[in-house]
Amino acid sequence: MKILIVEDEVKTGEYLRLGLCEAGFAVDLTHDGVDGLHLALEGNHDLVILDVMLPGMDGWQVLTQLRRQQKTMPVLFLTARDQVEDRVKGLELGADDYLVKPFSFAELLARVRIILRRGRGTVEVTTLQVADLELDLLRRRVSRDGRRITLTAKEFGLLELLMRRQGEVLPRSLIASQVWDMNFDSDTNVIDVAMRRLRVKVDDDFDLKLIHTVRGMGYVLEASEEKA
Ligand code: CA
């Protein structure tokens, strides 16, 4: 899941970015309203966290433009002003929720999860399953053959991506951008290291291996034994 933060207070933005990354989200951060609008129009974000008072273009204008251009991703407003008319205005413009500063990170994270859950609507799955491997998106739990597997936030994000796109060979560059929110740098083996750890946890104790390396191409998760 990818989140865009538009927040001109550098410290707040960085604090949110780090917290959300640790919670397993891929995060884009910008400090300017105009950049924020461009990123939101071009990127595939599942949620935008939008400050109201911004240089370049304020949060209201950014949201208005997004909705005008048929971008329907949920928007969570951050407002420093606890004024009823501000909240009403945001909600009227099509914001999904708002938080009044100062707020705790735990509160923000809870709101983010609720909005993302709501945004998925009633038909969206909350559990991914491949063979006997299960990933519960809401409880953020993974189990195989009924046995709980404990993953770090990054490992969870990685497994979620592999399971959502099961059967597809995912290049390292795509994994890097979706899970690490970074451009792939061939000098880094961070993906391979994480993948190795994930495979130990997911596959080592089982005869049926689910995660496979496709030499020179990337990784695929599928319940077939052919690509061992
Ligand atoms: Ca601001």
Side-chain angles (χ1 to χ4, degrees):
M1 292 252 148
K2 198 160 189 174
I3 296 179
L4 170 65
I5 303 169
V6 191
E7 165 61 88
D8 60 317
E9 287 159 42
V10 176
K11 267 191 181 168
T12 308
E14 193 55 27
Y15 167 72
L16 294 180
R17 191 185 69 77
L18 283 174
L20 289 168
C21 282
E22 277 168 23
F25 295 98
V27 181
D28 285 334
L29 169 64
T30 178
H31 305 297
D32 175 280
V34 177
D35 286 348
L37 177 61
H38 284 297
L39 284 170
L41 288 173
E42 284 161 19
N44 250 335
H45 302 98
D46 299 290
L47 172 73
V48 180
I49 297 175
L50 192 55
D51 188 27
V52 174
M53 302 304 286
L54 290 167
M57 189 182 224
D58 72 25
W60 310 132
Q61 292 172 299
V62 174
L63 177 60
T64 304
Q65 286 301 320
L66 283 179
R67 295 304 187 233
R68 205 169 277 168
Q69 302 196 38
Q70 317 301 328
K71 282 296 217 180
T72 57
M73 80 280 263
V75 171
L76 170 64
F77 261 115
L78 304 181
T79 171
R81 298 172 299 180
D82 186 13
Q83 307 241 330
V84 177
E85 53 269 37
D86 267 12
R87 294 184 227 161
V88 172
K89 186 173 178 182
L91 296 172
E92 275 178 358
L93 286 172
D96 294 79
D97 206 349
Y98 63 90
L99 267 180
V100 178
K101 292 178 185 175
F103 51 81
S104 71
F105 181 75
E107 191 181 358
L108 176 104
L109 187 60
R111 294 289 182 92
V112 163
R113 291 203 166 127
I114 288 167
I115 293 170
L116 289 174
R117 199 181 309 172
R118 195 199 292 155
R120 284 189 205 119
T122 50
V123 289
E124 178 74 19
V125 289
T126 57
T127 307
L128 305 174
Q129 180 146 21
V130 178
D132 54 358
L133 177 66
E134 259 188 44
L135 183 146
D136 183 328
L137 290 161
L138 298 186
R139 293 188 187 82
R140 301 193 68 77
R141 282 186 190 165
V142 174
S143 64
R144 187 152 180 199
D145 195 21
R147 268 189 277 166
R148 180 86 175 268
I149 298 173
T150 308
L151 300 180
T152 64
K154 279 292 175 225
E155 288 164 354
F156 188 94
L158 189 55
L159 186 62
E160 180 184 344
L161 175 67
L162 286 164
M163 289 181 79
R164 279 188 188 279
R165 317 245 326 229
Q166 63 163 299
E168 267 180 72
V169 178
L170 305 178
R172 286 177 179 75
S173 56
L174 183 138
I175 295 171
S177 70
Q178 294 280 310
V179 181
W180 274 267
D181 195 28
M182 63 179 192
N183 291 320
F184 180 57
D185 169 2
S186 53
D187 290 339
T188 174
N189 63 348
V190 58
I191 293 166
D192 302 287
V193 170
M195 197 65 81
R196 210 173 304 140
R197 291 207 185 107
L198 182 63
R199 290 171 87 158
V200 168
K201 292 182 180 180
V202 169
D203 276 341
D204 263 20
D205 293 343
F206 298 88
D207 290 335
L208 177 66
K209 307 301 179 195
L210 296 175
I211 301 172
H212 310 274
T213 308
V214 182
R215 201 173 286 274
M217 295 184 74
Y219 293 95
V220 61
L221 184 144
E222 63 186 348
S224 97
E225 286 166 285
E226 286 156 29
K227 293 196 188 72

